[in-house]
Amino acid sequence: MIDANSFELTEEERMVQSTAREFAQREVAPLARKIDHEHYFPKELIPKLGSVGFMGVNAPAAFGGSEMNNVCYAIIIEELARVCASTSVIVSAHNSLCLWPITSFGTDEQKKKYVPKLSSAEWIGCFALSEPGTGSDAARQTCMAVKEDGGWRVNGVKNWITNGPVSDVCVLFTMEDAAAGHKGITAFIVDMKTTSGVSLGKKEEKLGICGSPTSSIIFEDCFLPESQLLGKSGEGFKVAMKTLDGGRCGIAAQAVGIARAALEDSAQYASERKAFGKPIAEHQSIQNYLADMSCSIDAARLLTWSACRRKDAGVPYSRQAAQAKLFASETAMASTVKGVQIHGGYGFVKEFNVERYMRDAKITEIYEGTSEIQRLVIAANLLKEING
Ligand code: CAA
């Protein structure tokens, strides 16, 4: 890896970085091309990711988690994304979007039931907020939960669910009272394989992160007992928003990893490829590209790690998480486009990895809140901080 910046990592964080880098190189990198080309879900990696503690990164040790901090989490996601963006988002959606809300809002019974199995990778988790007609405007949920004796009857469709086709557990958001707007939203935990009335829609064919399985999830007269309520009835929107703050740090780290892959591969290629009698790395236009990529990637990583430090310190970090996600995802897109350009014709063919990085980068500007939504979150928080 190119030496990054002077952000002070603790000894533990450095150890996690070297373990994650070594794991990514040894276990994930050899599969990365197959994962992309064959749209292959790397099932053999899941238990290995569990055994090194990467499937329960922040979860409490008392429930079988690794209880690492959020900087460690960003480091792990960056190292996985450096070699395979698909693998990194499988891990990130599982940790940030399923395990985190269960450990943060779940009852003791729920934690005992779900956290050990999710942390050990026996179970995989997903998060179901988006719907066919409800993306950025997350408060406008139409998947209905109607109260009945002992629980709720759920009907509706959830869309674009990362890990949906392979999940055992889903954190689900529903509308109980449309007239109450976001205060009518209620969250649940769903056992995907054993609850009747739950089925999967078609698996999506995607531009990038092709090994990360995505589908819709259909709820038809699905009964969820009281034991599956996550948090309080009507407080689901806050569960979703707080979960997404953390998720955005994970996607920022993923974007840093993808951008770094483009930079490292491009710097190496430019040092070897000759034009006009010398390596193209000695031509100033190529140096300008590399310099711009390097600046933005270091800045993106610093934004990401400092948002994580704030989360670890228990201080508000919604704006910082959105800033990290916005800047890192735009950096990933710009850096991978430059990476393709540096590779010239070789950048456009599948023999080299850089075209994969460019395809994988695009989604980081879309999922867990588009760049437009990140700007909205940043400005809203900024104005609140200034005006009180
Ligand atoms: N933490 C805690 N509370 C929050 C919060 C946060 N980060 N953000 C908002 N809230 C609270 C507000 O304080 C407010 O509370 P009160 O009613 O008590 O005052 C309430 O929530 C409503 O807030 P807003 O008025 O700001 O809500 P809004 O309807 O205007 O929407 C939004 C805000 C930021 C646009 C939100 O809808 C949003 O984040 N949209 C994007 C959704 C998104 O990221 N979707 C991605 C889905 S996940 C995914 O990609 C799938 C995958 O598998 C990877």
Side-chain angles (χ1 to χ4, degrees):
M1 177 198 172
I2 292 162
D3 192 26
N5 49 52
S6 63
F7 188 96
E8 280 301 317
L9 293 182
T10 63
E11 206 177 314
E12 187 204 346
E13 289 159 357
R14 288 207 175 276
M15 272 172 53
V16 168
Q17 190 176 46
S18 76
T19 305
R21 190 167 302 159
E22 197 263 328
F23 178 90
Q25 285 303 333
R26 188 187 67 240
E27 302 290 349
V28 186
L31 278 173
R33 289 173 71 79
K34 174 183 167 87
I35 289 170
D36 177 58
H37 292 188
E38 297 173 23
H39 299 196
Y40 175 71
F41 171 67
K43 52 188 176 309
E44 63 271 52
L45 288 179
I46 304 301
K48 293 180 183 172
L49 287 158
S51 70
V52 286
F54 294 174
M55 295 298 270
V57 179
N58 302 135
F63 293 103
S66 310
E67 208 168 307
M68 291 187 238
N69 68 19
N70 287 284
V71 174
C72 289
Y73 177 56
I75 287 169
I76 291 165
I77 298 298
E78 177 184 332
E79 293 304 326
L80 295 175
R82 162 64 185 93
V83 300
C84 177
S86 293
T87 301
S88 72
V89 77
I90 293 165
V91 173
S92 162
H94 170 91
N95 274 281
S96 311
L97 301 183
C98 184
L99 245 177
W100 189 84
I102 293 174
T103 56
S104 303
F105 303 101
T107 60
D108 266 357
E109 282 64 40
Q110 289 171 336
K111 286 183 213 174
K112 274 184 215 145
K113 177 174 174 188
Y114 293 104
V115 179
K117 289 198 168 156
L118 287 165
S119 296
S120 64
E122 197 178 322
W123 285 349
I124 297 178
C126 70
F127 174 88
L129 177 69
S130 301
E131 298 179 354
T134 307
S136 292
D137 188 0
R140 221 169 280 267
Q141 297 285 304
T142 64
C143 177
M144 296 305 295
V146 176
K147 189 80 186 81
E148 285 184 4
D149 262 3
W152 288 261
R153 184 75 53 189
V154 176
N155 280 286
V157 179
K158 293 289 167 179
N159 230 21
W160 317 118
I161 309 304
T162 302
N163 289 349
V166 294
S167 274
D168 301 276
V169 181
C170 171
V171 169
L172 168 71
F173 297 89
T174 64
M175 180 58 85
E176 254 198 285
D177 178 4
H182 71 263
K183 292 196 165 93
I185 294 173
T186 298
F188 295 96
I189 307 173
V190 182
D191 291 306
M192 292 287 289
K193 306 243 164 96
T194 54
T195 308
S196 57
V198 182
S199 59
L200 296 174
K202 77 171 166 50
K203 198 174 153 217
E204 303 292 350
E205 286 293 317
K206 297 179 297 189
L207 173 71
I209 54 161
C210 295
S212 146
T214 304
S215 69
S216 52
I217 305 179
I218 300 149
F219 296 88
E220 269 174 312
D221 282 333
C222 166
F223 182 74
L224 297 176
E226 303 269 2
S227 61
Q228 300 314 109
L229 177 68
L230 178 63
K232 292 196 181 122
S233 165
E235 292 190 1
F237 192 69
K238 290 204 178 164
V239 172
M241 291 298 109
K242 287 185 177 163
T243 300
L244 283 168
D245 283 341
R248 286 166 187 165
C249 293
I251 300 305
Q254 181 196 30
V256 171
I258 297 169
R260 193 181 114 211
L263 175 60
E264 291 179 354
D265 283 18
S266 299
Q268 188 179 347
Y269 177 82
S271 305
E272 288 159 10
R273 171 79 176 174
K274 290 198 170 85
F276 303 99
K278 56 184 178 183
I280 61 170
E282 290 176 25
H283 291 290
Q284 198 171 23
S285 17
I286 301 298
Q287 291 185 348
N288 287 344
Y289 286 151
L290 295 174
D292 290 347
M293 291 159 80
S294 176
C295 289
S296 306
I297 293 166
D298 275 7
R301 184 183 294 107
L302 283 170
L303 284 173
T304 306
W305 286 356
S306 63
C308 291
R309 273 273 187 272
R310 289 183 70 89
K311 185 176 181 194
D312 287 329
V315 296
Y317 72 103
S318 302
R319 174 169 67 83
Q320 287 78 6
Q323 288 179 175
K325 202 256 184 196
L326 172 66
F327 190 81
S329 59
E330 293 191 346
T331 292
M333 201 62 242
S335 299
T336 55
V337 168
K338 284 193 180 96
V340 168
Q341 193 67 19
I342 291 168
H343 281 73
Y346 289 108
F348 204 67
V349 294
K350 289 188 184 275
E351 188 186 337
F352 284 75
N353 290 328
V354 71
E355 61 82 33
R356 160 162 62 94
Y357 306 150
M358 189 178 86
R359 288 185 287 105
D360 288 344
K362 185 60 207 167
I363 191 62
T364 65
E365 295 184 315
I366 298 171
Y367 58 18
E368 300 198 33
T370 61
S371 295
E372 292 75 11
I373 290 296
Q374 305 311 320
R375 287 187 167 87
L376 195 150
V377 170
I378 294 163
N381 279 283
L382 183 72
L383 292 168
K384 225 187 289 168
E385 287 164 36
I386 287 174
N387 300 322

